[in-house]
Amino acid sequence: MESRTVLITGAAKRIGNELALHLAKQNWNLAIHYNSSKAEAMALRDYLKAIYPKQVFKVFCCDLSDKPESLISEVQKEFGQIDLLINNASVYNPGSIKETPIELLDEQMSVNFKAPFILMRDYANLCKKGGIINFLDTRVTKFASNYAAYSLSKVALSHLTQMGALEFGPNIRVNGIAPGSTIAPLGVDSDYLESRASRTPMKEPGGIQPILKTVDYILDNTYLTGQILYCDGGEQLT
Ligand SMILES: NC(=O)c1ccc[n+]([C@@H]2O[C@H](COP(=O)([O-])OP(=O)(O)OC[C@H]3O[C@@H](n4cnc5c(N)ncnc54)[C@H](OP(=O)(O)O)[C@@H]3O)[C@@H](O)[C@H]2O)c1
């Protein structure tokens, strides 16, 4: 099987880590991006190297709120081509419009929107062909303001996903995955996922599998571009 390279931002933990394990199993080489989770990123790289010795796994540190401009060129230098960019890294902080200080607004927009914009731009300019998957959130369909800056950063990224699909086709396909509650934020009650899911049509949390299946579907269906796929048990309808 041909080996391809994927850059996953925020790959050291949680959903990013699951994406890394899933794609490595499918023979992908991995550029594992992290910011603060160095130990977890190294451990992931070492684990993958041990079980898939013929594939290439490298780690890249970058604070996406500060200098996202260097990342694509650094990864490209190491791997030659990047066949897939997954913009997964994110910050998720609460605050209504009235409660949001400029620092919070800046951070949410920098990490969740500005950095993916720059990475997409550099990917299109340097790599010229491949695919991009942006991680959004089912919140993009809502007007709830309890995570105002976060939600708006993902709305902007959702729009950018479709704009990028239009500009970058046919050589680069751009799609978005909008999860519902998949992995609970740190520090919330143990029934958080069940309680959120009980208000959706599917009534129970879906876990990581729907997201991994959606990644596979996007990769397999080479006519798909500019689509936002909701992995949320129907939460976008509520
Ligand atoms: N978890 C869910 O249930 C859920 C629901 C809806 C949507 N989503 C979306 O799915 C994606 C993954 O979710 P998640 O919960 O796994 O994400 P997460 O744990 O909140 O964040 C993923 C990674 O983002 C990285 N990151 C944060 N600030 C950064 C910065 N300044 N520079 C570079 N990297 C930075 C962190 O890397 P380091 O640890 O290395 O610092 C972190 O591990 C996100 O885009 C999220 O919005 C998740």
Side-chain angles (χ1 to χ4, degrees), residues 100-230:
T100 298
I102 192 156
E103 295 77 14
L104 175 61
L105 180 61
D106 281 346
E107 196 198 9
Q108 300 289 313
M109 293 306 283
S110 295
V111 178
N112 298 354
F113 171 63
K114 200 169 146 196
F117 184 111
I118 300 299
L119 298 185
M120 284 174 63
R121 180 199 69 186
D122 293 353
Y123 183 76
N125 282 328
L126 291 174
C127 299
K128 304 199 187 305
K129 66 182 169 88
I132 299 172
I133 299 176
N134 290 329
F135 269 78
L136 310 171
D137 191 302
T138 191
R139 286 176 182 274
V140 297
T141 56
K142 310 266 187 283
F143 294 93
S145 69
N146 54 339
Y147 283 77
Y150 170 81
S151 298
L152 290 168
S153 70
K154 294 291 187 179
V155 168
L157 183 57
S158 172
H159 204 95
L160 176 65
T161 300
Q162 295 176 314
M163 194 181 274
L166 192 59
E167 182 177 331
F168 301 160
N171 294 326
I172 298 174
R173 296 188 298 118
V174 189
N175 291 289
I177 295 179
S181 284
T182 304
I183 300 180
L186 293 178
V188 300
D189 293 344
S190 56
D191 67 350
Y192 172 88
L193 292 178
E194 282 72 18
S195 154
R196 283 276 307 266
S198 68
R199 300 191 287 272
T200 71
M202 295 309 289
K203 304 288 180 217
E204 56 183 32
I208 192 71
Q209 284 307 319
I211 291 175
L212 302 179
K213 285 179 185 168
T214 302
V215 169
D216 292 345
Y217 171 67
I218 290 172
L219 294 177
D220 187 48
N221 185 346
T222 56
Y223 203 56
L224 197 77
T225 195
Q227 299 303 309
I228 310 301
L229 297 158
Y230 290 89

Side-chain angles (χ1 to χ4, degrees), residues 61 185 203 235:
C61 182
K203 304 288 180 217
E235 189 178 340

Side-chain angles (χ1 to χ4, degrees), residues 4-24 28-50 52 55-64 71 74-76 78-79 82 84-86 88-89 119:
R4 299 157 294 174
T5 297
V6 54
L7 164 59
I8 306 173
T9 65
K13 297 203 276 198
R14 293 166 55 87
I15 292 178
N17 178 280
E18 297 279 0
L19 294 168
L21 295 170
H22 182 69
L23 291 173
W28 287 77
N29 297 320
L30 254 65
I32 299 164
H33 160 265
Y34 71 94
N35 180 35
S36 58
S37 301
K38 183 174 181 180
E40 291 87 344
M42 301 289 186
L44 174 65
R45 179 201 58 190
D46 294 346
Y47 171 76
L48 292 174
K49 271 186 175 178
Y52 306 111
Q55 292 161 236
V56 184
F57 304 102
K58 292 179 188 264
V59 294
F60 297 84
C61 182
C62 176
D63 180 353
L64 293 174
L71 186 60
E74 275 175 30
V75 175
Q76 200 205 24
E78 291 288 330
F79 284 93
I82 308 168
L84 177 64
L85 161 66
I86 302 186
N88 166 75
L119 298 185

